[in-house]
């Protein structure tokens, strides 16, 4: 019986450099965003498992004997976790927890991921736990910021912990703790399986960033954490312009096929920016001073131009870059482009009034803007009393 009330958090992510080029085998840098998803874990009534996901309007509870029966139906004649299907396979039957076959709404996928991870982890490591789980996020959904991966990482850590597969590293009197490297590897592997339920065929980058934090290098399926990454202040801006990643990726591919002699050097240059940026970040001190920023700002400017050449720019992103440039700040799109989100570097000598003025001008364009950091820590365990007033209020309200 789980007996403590604790919270788990995991960060979102942004792509610093390497969008689109990464699809063609080039280097991309993904960094943890200090907008986080929080999971509150409480002891539940004996024999009941409950989950609340207010962001997607899900409030469900199950009797644990019913979940054990459901686990048996999925696993068939086999025994244990190894007989449970991976990803969405077998999880979208019409009778699966009342979720229709082929359901793709966020609330259905979030519930499927929760149930799959709960059943699979408990089959391997212990009984279905009697706990109450509530998840609330600072991350907007559908913005390419890794919100589903942060959710999967929080779930993996919490469920593995209550089932006894990993330790509870938070000692009495401590505010925050992290798991060992071996335990983080296990959390990441289960979070990836949760991401498979939601996305089908994810790269694994988002859940890796949510697990380890900091920054990761990704190339041709290989994920490598950077040795040491400074925490950098940024503005994150959502243009709120919807876009289709699939259409944008196809457009880039078409352009490369049409003009290979022109476009391949652009991809090589984006690759070089990612690698040079990695070198700069690993050479920077933990608390960089203003003189460390000009090279990073130039990388932003050059890469933004490259992304426009690839055809993934948008008038909203051009406007955003113009607004921040008027405040002597440097921006680039992050993710698929065609609208979506952009990041703006904030050197340490940027005054609070200057940041506020830039935010007001961006919001006047109809954009949504957050002041946050990149290079944030990965999945962490917290005492609930150590959480910020804003997070505590959100969890209580939910």
């Amino acid at each position: 019986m789980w007996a403590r009330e604790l919270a788990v958090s995991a960060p979102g992510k942004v792509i610093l450099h390497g969008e689109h080029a990464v699809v063609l085998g080039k280097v991309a840098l993904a960094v943890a965003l200090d907008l986080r998803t929080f999971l509150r874990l409480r002891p539940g009534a004996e024999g009941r498992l409950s989950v609340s996901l207010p962001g997607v309007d899900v409030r469900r509870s199950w009797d644990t004997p019913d979940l054990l029966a459901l686990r048996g139906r999925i696993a068939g004649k086999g025994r244990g976790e190894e007989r449970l299907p991976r990803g969405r396979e077998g999880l979208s039957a019409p009778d699966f927890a009342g979720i229709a076959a082929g359901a793709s709404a966020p609330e259905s996928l979030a519930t499927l991921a929760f149930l799959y991870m709960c059943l699979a982890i408990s089959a391997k490591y212990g009984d279905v736990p009697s706990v109450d789980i509530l998840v609330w996020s600072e991350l907007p959904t559908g913005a390419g910021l890794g919100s589903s991966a942060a959710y999967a990482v929080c779930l993996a850590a919490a469920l593995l912990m209550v089932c006894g597969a990993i330790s509870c590293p938070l000692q009495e009197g401590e505010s925050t703790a992290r798991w060992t490297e071996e335990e983080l590897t296990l959390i990441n592997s289960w979070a990836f399986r949760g991401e498979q339920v939601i996305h089908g065929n994810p790269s694994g980058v988002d859940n890796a960033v949510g697990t380890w934090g900091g920054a990761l290098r990704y190339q041709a399926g290989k994920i490598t954490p950077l040795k040491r990454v400074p925490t950098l202040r940024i503005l994150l801006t959502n243009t709120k312009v919807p876009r289709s990643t699939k259409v944008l990726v196809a457009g880039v591919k078409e352009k490369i096929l049409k003009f290979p002699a022109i476009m391949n050097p652009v991809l090589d240059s984006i690759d070089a920016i990612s690698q040079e940026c990695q070198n700069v970040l690993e050479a920077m001190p933990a608390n960089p001073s203003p003189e460390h920023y000009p090279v990073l700002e130039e990388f932003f400017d050059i890469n933004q131009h490259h992304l426009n050449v690839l055809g993934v720019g948008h008038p909203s992103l051009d406007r955003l870059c113009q607004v921040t440039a008027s405040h002597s700040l440097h921006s680039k799109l992050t993710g698929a482009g065609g609208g979506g989100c952009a990041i703006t570097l904030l050197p340490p000598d940027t005054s609070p009034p200057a940041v506020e003025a830039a935010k007001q001008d961006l919001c006047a364009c109809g954009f949504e803007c957050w002041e946050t950091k990149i290079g944030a820590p990965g999945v962490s365990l917290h005492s609930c009393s150590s959480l910020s007033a804003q997070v505590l209020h959100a969890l209580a309200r939910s």
Side-chain angles (χ1 to χ4, degrees), residues 105-361:
E107 61 271 20
S108 298
L109 293 177
T111 306
L112 277 174
F114 173 79
L115 282 171
Y116 172 74
M117 293 174 71
C118 179
L119 298 181
I121 288 172
S122 65
K124 190 172 180 70
Y125 298 108
D127 293 332
V128 174
S130 298
V131 291
D132 291 337
I133 286 174
L134 185 149
V135 182
W136 173 82
S137 188
E138 298 171 324
L139 291 158
T141 57
L145 301 175
S147 60
S148 67
Y151 167 64
V153 170
C154 285
L155 278 183
L159 292 168
L160 287 165
M161 187 171 64
V162 297
C163 287
I166 60 175
S167 67
C168 176
L170 191 73
Q171 303 301 314
E172 288 293 337
E174 289 184 332
S175 59
T176 299
R178 299 203 67 211
W179 287 274
T180 66
E181 192 66 23
E182 184 180 358
E183 290 171 324
L184 290 174
T185 299
L186 187 62
I187 291 169
N188 184 58
S189 68
W190 281 101
F192 180 67
R193 290 175 68 169
E195 275 276 84
Q196 286 178 309
V197 174
I198 296 169
H199 289 300
N201 187 30
S203 68
V205 170
D206 289 12
N207 51 276
V209 173
T211 301
W212 278 284
L216 302 175
R217 171 192 173 113
Y218 179 80
Q219 185 177 25
K222 184 180 179 185
I223 299 170
T224 311
L226 271 61
K227 296 188 189 81
R228 191 173 53 82
V229 183
T231 302
L232 306 177
R233 290 170 62 215
I234 63 160
L235 285 181
L236 172 70
T237 304
N238 187 354
T239 66
K240 301 184 185 177
V241 174
R243 74 274 184 266
S244 165
T245 299
K246 187 176 180 181
V247 169
L248 289 160
V249 169
V252 172
K253 186 176 180 181
E254 183 182 342
K255 205 167 230 190
I256 293 165
L257 290 172
K258 189 176 181 181
F259 304 115
I262 297 170
M263 304 310 295
N264 284 325
V266 176
L267 296 171
D268 290 339
S269 183
I270 292 174
D271 184 64
I273 290 171
S274 295
Q275 298 191 56
E276 287 293 322
C277 184
Q278 176 181 343
N279 294 336
V280 170
L281 289 175
E282 291 185 327
M284 288 172 79
N287 296 303
S289 53
E291 64 267 19
H292 293 105
Y293 278 74
V295 173
L296 295 179
E297 291 174 335
E298 284 194 77
F299 289 163
F300 266 39
D301 294 342
I302 297 167
N303 203 358
Q304 178 62 23
H305 289 305
H306 285 343
L307 290 162
N308 280 328
V309 171
L310 291 180
V312 297
H314 189 272
S316 64
L317 293 164
D318 294 338
R319 179 70 184 131
L320 185 154
C321 290
Q322 290 165 359
V323 168
T324 56
S326 72
H327 295 275
S328 301
L329 298 171
H330 300 253
S331 305
K332 68 172 286 290
L333 69 84
T334 182
C341 292
I343 50 178
T344 304
L345 272 177
L346 296 176
D349 57 351
T350 311
S351 68
V355 174
E356 195 56 39
K359 285 169 66 177
Q360 286 181 6
D361 286 352

